[in-house]
Amino acid sequence: MAVKALLHYALEVPDQTAGETFYRSFGLETASGRDDAVHLRPAPLARESVLLYGGPRKRLHHVAFGAPGEEYAATREAVRRAGVREVDPPRGAPEVGFWLRDPDGNLVNVRDEGPLAPPADPPLMLNSPGHVLREGRRGYPPPGMGARPRRLGHVLFFTPDVDRQLDFYTRVLGMKLSDRCQKIIAFLRCTPDHHNLAFLASRGPGFHHGSFEVGSIDEIAMGAKKMQESGWHPAWGPGRHVIGSNFFFYIRDPWGSFAEYFHDLDQIPEGCAWQPQDFPEADALYCWGPPVPEEFGRNVEVEA
Ligand SMILES: [Fe+2]
């Protein structure tokens, strides 16, 4: 029994139009939906990744995971056996799958759906010592190129208790721990991606960022440049993380949380030997990149 896909995250926000503008600049497209939310999706996918509901202040509305086929009933049974009560869907949300609350009170929706993969890109034609893949043509990215997120990869939430969340998502929903840094942050997966869900210690729960895969380091940098030219605040990057190994760039959303472009994330296929590591705090966050801005660790939801 286990969830096998991160389907979407839904935020409650004070200005849905500002949120839609932000995520469209980021590279997502507006999708149609049957409820009051603004639905946004990566262009190559026929499924939304971000839902924006109206509400008094920014906070997580819910997060949705897929447990396809037999996994759906098995996950539901595991939830029941763990003594976790199912709850009604939140007002305005589609009545799909079943709903529960995690130990922090976050609403979790589990649906009978599997992961969707975007069509594969052509292989990157990079020249490296001893490996010339591109000859006779220029390699620089086209001026004005923006990012075109292919898919949602992961979300990161704040939590007052990393261990409690880790226990819940591994024991009840069948996710796996990939790596952690003490009691500060833990990274979990339900697909071959190194992480689909992460928890960062804070005074209370909160939404930190959603992260989307793009096709190259150039695409990360060009996308970030374009966001900046459109007036959005570049929060942190470019850089390379230690845990997950991905290249990153974070853009601040209209509410003080973030959206991330990522590329080249560690992959851990089912059955692969992978030992989760507990990284020391000083070496856990990034190998290179600008210093971490103070705002990056701020949970605006507990300060409000
Ligand atoms: Fe991330």
Side-chain angles (χ1 to χ4, degrees), residues 154 156 187 195 209-211 241 246 248 250 260 262:
H154 62 267
L156 190 151
F187 295 83
H195 53 278
H209 74 266
S211 188
H241 279 306
N246 56 298
F248 63 83
Y250 296 86
E260 177 188 18
F262 81 85

